[in-house]
Every structure is written in C-alpha cells, then in structure tokens.
Amino acid sequence: MDGHNLPYNPRTVDEVFRDFKGRRTALVKALSTDVDEFFRQCDPDKENLCLYGSPSEQWEVNLPAEEVPPEIPEPALGINFARDGMLEKDWLSLVAVHSDAWLMSVAFYFGARFGFDKADRKKLFDMINDLPTIFETITGVVKKQGKEKSSSVSNNSSTKSKANPEQGSEPQANFSKPMAIQMQAKENDEDDLGVDEEDEEDEEEQEETFCGACGESYTTNEFWICCDICEKWFHGKCVKITPARAEHIKQYKCPSCSHKRARPSGLI
C-alpha cells in the first residue's frame, strides 16, 4: 500500500466526501484499535515519518513524498520524534489534531483543483462537519459533552446493560434485539406525546454517541459495548465482542485502555 498515490481522483462533492471518510476511518483505526502497531512503527530513531490514511480505509506510517510539489498535501512531518517525549495520550491527541488538519486540506485541495463553486464548497464542509473530528473521537470529547446533561447513567452499571448506548444504564441483557428495539420505539412514541424541552435536549445529546474505533454514529440495529475505563462506546464488531461474549465480561476494557495498562509507566 502506498499512502502517497491516489487510486482515483474524486471530482464531485460526494466522491470527495467518500474519499474523506475512507481516510478518516483509516486514521481513527491507527489511533485506537491499531494503536499498538501504530506506536511500534513510530520509532523516534527513524527518519521523519508521516501518518497517512487512504480512501480504502488503510493507514500507514511512511516517509513523506519525494516529489515537489506532492500529488496531494502532505500530513504532519516527524510525528515519531515526539513519541517518547510526552505522555502517550497527549501524543496521540497531537497526532489526531494534525490528522484532522490534513484531512481538511486534502478535501479542499480537491475542491480547488476541480473548481468547486461556493455552493459545492459549503455542501462539502457541511457533510464533513456532521462527523466528529478524529480528535473528538480519540479523546472522547463528544461522549463527555453528551454526559453533561444525562443524569440517568450509573457509574456502577454492568457490561450487560451496555448493548444500547441510548438506553443509559437500564438492563438490556434479558431482551432480544427485536424486543429492545420495540421497547425503544414505544418509549419514543411516549416521548412524542408529552416530553419536555429538557428531555428533548438529552435525547439530542445522546444521539451524538460515536464509536471510539471507527467514529461512526449509533444506529438501533447494532450491538454496542462501553469501556468501563474510558467510558467510550464501541461497535461490537469493531472490537470483536459479540453479545454472547459480553454477557460473561464483568469489566470491559477497550483495546486502547488495555494497551495503556500494559505500557511501562514511563510511557503513559
């Protein structure tokens, strides 16, 4: 895989957005589910390295492009040098911020290259802005904002109650997915009949739950699980946890938190 060369040149707003989403998914993987491998590849003893994301949702750590000017804007240079010089969470956050900046520069590079007008540029930005940034996804900022208005989530809730992020800490283990969905639909109907403004705000905040691995938003037909350490939500498929397996987990730790506990104290 070569992160420097494009497999295609996106020319429409929708094509550029698909390109953006593919690259974004790749970078989120590098900084979350694949963080061990990403950490290993960012050896400070190597030359200036960059983190690339490709439209095919694959990431790589590599040297910058040699051609001047490059085919597309280059990401932040030398991310590996700071790896052992700062707290790991701060280093990952720094890489996330630079990755967000790179994604935006690539998307609007295409917009300029293929002559997007004001309406197209606005449409592209609005589509991008509907997604949380990589920084928000990695640090859990979006989830924390949602929790500020929610008083129904219990800190002592078990993993068994976490199949549905929008259900708070209410037990879900004894319900099948269809039953859980029916109950959610019933609750929504009741809310439509007489819900106050505060409840509506809580629901809007809860709808902003995003997967800590892929960054995609929650949908009712998917199994989710919450990390008991960082309190981020994850698609079960993204962290390879099934509903049956979740039933036997007393305390779930996501790949990133498991990695941090294994890291020598000098690196975290």
Side-chain angles (χ1 to χ4, degrees):
M1 178 184 64
D2 186 353
H4 306 166
N5 297 323
L6 294 175
Y8 65 95
N9 282 331
R11 294 175 179 271
T12 68
V13 172
D14 290 336
E15 287 175 344
V16 171
F17 182 63
R18 284 197 298 271
D19 180 276
F20 177 93
K21 285 187 65 178
R23 295 177 190 276
R24 178 186 174 282
T25 297
L27 297 176
V28 169
K29 286 180 181 178
L31 300 175
S32 57
T33 56
D34 297 345
V35 69
D36 287 336
E37 180 60 21
F38 173 64
F39 188 95
R40 185 190 66 78
Q41 291 190 28
C42 289
D43 187 347
D45 293 331
K46 295 181 179 179
E47 299 179 73
N48 285 288
L49 296 175
C50 300
L51 173 60
Y52 295 89
S54 71
S56 61
E57 301 185 0
Q58 301 299 313
W59 62 271
E60 68 173 342
V61 173
N62 210 334
L63 296 173
E66 295 181 358
E67 66 269 19
V68 179
E71 175 66 20
I72 61 173
E74 284 287 296
L77 183 65
I79 58 169
N80 52 312
F81 291 154
R83 191 195 74 176
D84 296 342
M86 56 196 306
L87 294 174
E88 182 183 337
K89 65 177 182 179
D90 293 336
W91 174 66
L92 292 175
S93 297
L94 179 64
V95 176
V97 170
H98 282 294
S99 296
D100 281 319
W102 179 63
L103 287 178
M104 292 294 291
S105 66
V106 171
F108 280 86
Y109 165 83
F110 287 132
R113 180 176 178 181
F114 297 114
F116 286 6
D117 58 19
K118 180 178 180 180
D120 284 342
R121 292 195 303 272
K122 184 179 185 303
K123 177 182 177 181
L124 175 59
F125 178 80
D126 288 344
M127 294 170 73
I128 290 174
N129 205 36
D130 283 338
L131 294 174
T133 64
I134 297 176
F135 176 81
E136 290 173 332
T137 302
I138 297 303
T139 60
V141 170
V142 175
K143 177 62 179 177
K144 290 178 182 177
Q145 291 175 346
K147 287 182 65 180
E148 289 178 357
K149 290 188 177 182
S150 177
S151 59
S152 62
V153 178
S154 171
N155 291 331
N156 297 321
S157 60
S158 67
T159 305
K160 294 180 181 180
S161 68
K162 296 174 181 176
N164 186 336
E166 297 191 61
Q167 293 296 316
S169 59
E170 298 177 359
Q172 294 290 325
N174 295 327
F175 300 116
S176 64
K177 286 186 179 179
M179 178 64 74
I181 294 173
Q182 291 173 8
M183 292 182 64
Q184 179 65 42
K186 181 179 179 181
E187 291 175 3
N188 289 340
D189 291 338
E190 293 174 352
D191 290 341
D192 290 338
L193 293 175
V195 63
D196 58 33
E197 293 182 357
E198 183 177 352
D199 289 339
E200 290 178 351
E201 291 179 355
D202 288 345
E203 289 175 3
E204 290 176 358
E205 292 293 342
Q206 290 173 347
E207 288 175 358
E208 293 181 354
T209 302
F210 298 93
C211 176
C214 68
E216 296 296 327
S217 59
Y218 166 77
T219 57
T220 56
N221 63 346
E222 295 176 310
F223 170 72
W224 278 45
I225 188 168
C226 182
C227 174
D228 287 298
I229 306 301
C230 65
E231 297 187 345
K232 293 181 183 178
W233 289 95
F234 298 86
H235 290 109
K237 63 183 180 181
C238 290
V239 291
K240 300 180 181 178
I241 298 292
T242 63
R245 183 179 175 186
E247 290 290 332
H248 303 285
I249 300 177
K250 293 183 179 179
Q251 184 184 55
Y252 174 68
K253 293 190 287 290
C254 68
S256 179
C257 289
S258 297
H259 164 76
K260 289 177 182 177
R261 289 182 61 85
R263 182 74 58 203
S265 57
L267 298 181
I268 58 176

